[in-house]
Amino acid sequence: MFVPDNSLISCAGLKRFVPLLACLLLPVTLQAADAKTELQLKDHFAEQFKIGAALSEAQVLDKKPGVLDLVAQQFNSLTAENVMKWEEIHPSPQQYNFSTPDKLVSFGQKHGMYMVGHTLLWHQQTPDWVFEDGKGNLLERDSLLERLQSHINTVLGQYKGKVQAWDVVNEVFNEDGTLRDSKWLAIIGPDYIEKAFEYAHQADADIALYYNDYNLFKPAKRKAVVKLVKQLQSKGIRIDGVGIQGHYALDYPDLNEVENSINAFADTGVTVMFTEVDVSVLPFPDEDNQGADISLDMALQQQFNPYADGLPSDVEQQLAQRYKQIIDLFIKHQQKIDRVTFWGVDDGQTWRNDWPMTGRTDYPLLFDRELQLKPFVKDIIN
């Protein structure tokens, strides 16, 4: 989930950051002619890490003019927001929907982008039939493993040589570090995670294999993921990276804890990524449930949707400062971070607008609803 989930350091004495600063001082335009002269985020962060975005189905299908042009100009990595999740790509036992994912992958290939598939195994957005036989009874362990392997083989086979990395397993831990209660766990047992990584490696030995989760700044959850990585490594099971979802807020979380997680995962020898960066400006009704659990569905209350008519300047300045802090942290640890992916492209598309209640209006990304780079970015670097 986005954006993405920073702080720019001073350019004094750091010549390599001058192009980045110049880029961010310029207005982003969707005019093709101007694209040749404007400086681009993907180029100015090229020495630090890949810059990515997650695309929705509507964006992939080019339903909002200008989005794909902007993506091609500004980003060098793409992730499927939803169209590669099980319920979308494999909605029934004999049906695979590759049309929209194929368009996403073709777009990425055309523009030389690093493609990340998302996701092969998750407790959400997986149809009930996956866990049941033809009579609606829960499958036995071996049957579900066979179904999982078949799904992985088919999907990875479709994109072999075209998608460079996959979020193999997504969000399997509770906040206290215990395994989430899911049908995967109930039917197969805790080794379902190992099996997923094994099957993915067998299906395509050339792709990078990632674990992805939110709230990994929390010590107990961080510890659980470190333990998982080491367990897989000790058994000779490939895992190449950990994706830290960056669904953050103006005052949440403590970035010292985020830094601790960067270091902890890097110390295991795997790649670290920020996979779903975004920064919400809205108040949250339940602090204990902040993160990315889409099962939350709270009744809309006006007090939790205060900026429906626009973002006040003082709040925009808070957003600018927060992004500065986060980007500074990324740059500080650029040797450990391979990719920073924002969970969306612009404020008009972000999932934050309707979570955890429908009707909310949020402003969590670097590009506004008119696809313009936000003015505060130049203030950050000044």
Side-chain angles (χ1 to χ4, degrees), residues 247-272:
H247 298 295
Y248 299 153
L250 295 179
D251 58 356
Y252 177 92
D254 180 348
L255 293 184
N256 290 320
E257 293 294 352
V258 176
E259 184 171 31
N260 289 339
S261 292
I262 295 172
N263 291 327
F265 299 139
D267 286 347
T268 69
V270 301
T271 297
V272 178

Side-chain angles (χ1 to χ4, degrees), residues 94-371:
Q94 305 304 320
Q95 178 187 6
Y96 281 88
N97 290 338
F98 290 124
S99 176
T100 303
D102 283 354
K103 287 181 172 65
L104 173 67
V105 172
S106 294
F107 175 81
Q109 286 186 298
K110 177 182 177 181
H111 296 284
M113 295 180 169
Y114 186 83
M115 296 299 304
V116 182
H118 177 82
T119 173
L120 296 174
L121 187 152
W122 192 25
H123 67 283
Q124 294 277 9
Q125 293 181 249
T126 303
D128 289 340
W129 69 261
V130 174
F131 306 102
E132 300 172 352
D133 62 20
K135 298 180 180 180
N137 301 313
L138 288 181
L139 293 177
E140 299 292 334
R141 169 187 162 91
D142 290 346
S143 296
L144 183 53
L145 285 172
E146 181 179 352
R147 189 163 289 177
L148 173 63
Q149 185 172 25
S150 176
H151 174 83
I152 290 175
N153 286 342
T154 302
V155 174
L156 266 58
Q158 177 75 8
Y159 298 111
K160 192 168 186 177
K162 301 176 182 179
V163 172
Q164 287 74 49
W166 275 88
D167 291 332
V168 178
V169 176
N170 196 53
E171 301 176 2
V172 302
F173 291 107
N174 297 311
E175 305 303 88
D176 63 359
T178 58
L179 283 174
R180 184 188 295 273
D181 184 16
S182 70
K183 290 181 180 178
W184 295 110
L185 178 62
I187 296 173
I188 298 174
D191 64 332
Y192 77 91
I193 303 170
E194 297 176 8
K195 293 297 184 182
F197 277 95
E198 287 178 345
Y199 296 156
H201 175 66
Q202 291 166 7
D204 189 346
D206 296 325
I207 57 174
L209 309 178
Y210 302 148
Y211 176 74
N212 190 59
D213 212 331
Y214 64 91
N215 285 357
L216 291 182
F217 59 87
K218 294 189 175 182
K221 205 168 189 180
R222 174 200 309 143
K223 182 178 179 180
V225 175
V226 169
K227 181 179 179 180
L228 170 64
V229 172
K230 291 181 177 180
Q231 285 178 338
L232 294 175
Q233 291 171 332
S234 70
K235 296 181 179 181
I237 300 172
R238 266 192 56 214
I239 177 170
D240 300 299
V242 171
I244 301 173
Q245 296 180 21
H247 298 295
Y248 299 153
L250 295 179
D251 58 356
Y252 177 92
D254 180 348
L255 293 184
N256 290 320
E257 293 294 352
V258 176
E259 184 171 31
N260 289 339
S261 292
I262 295 172
N263 291 327
F265 299 139
D267 286 347
T268 69
V270 301
T271 297
V272 178
M273 298 147 291
F274 282 82
T275 58
E276 305 185 16
V277 179
D278 51 31
V279 179
S280 176
V281 301
L282 299 181
F284 200 87
D286 184 357
E287 183 175 285
D288 291 338
N289 288 314
Q290 290 195 70
D293 190 339
I294 66 171
S295 65
L296 289 176
D297 185 16
M298 303 174 182
L300 178 62
Q301 299 178 46
Q302 183 59 38
Q303 69 186 102
F304 299 122
N305 188 34
Y307 311 128
D309 298 324
L311 192 63
S313 59
D314 62 324
V315 181
E316 184 164 304
Q317 287 303 309
Q318 294 177 52
L319 179 63
Q321 180 61 25
R322 187 58 165 171
Y323 260 115
K324 183 180 188 307
Q325 294 167 350
I326 295 170
I327 294 175
D328 274 349
L329 180 63
F330 292 167
I331 292 177
K332 177 180 178 180
H333 292 284
Q334 61 186 275
Q335 298 302 321
K336 301 171 184 177
I337 298 172
D338 178 69
R339 172 170 53 94
V340 174
T341 290
F342 295 96
W343 204 242
V345 177
D346 66 275
D347 287 345
Q349 166 250 342
T350 172
W351 71 287
R352 287 286 204 174
N353 285 327
D354 293 300
W355 184 85
M357 55 186 72
T358 58
R360 300 226 297 175
T361 302
D362 211 339
Y363 305 80
L365 302 178
L366 294 184
F367 293 89
D368 65 21
R369 285 166 169 78
E370 285 70 47
L371 306 183

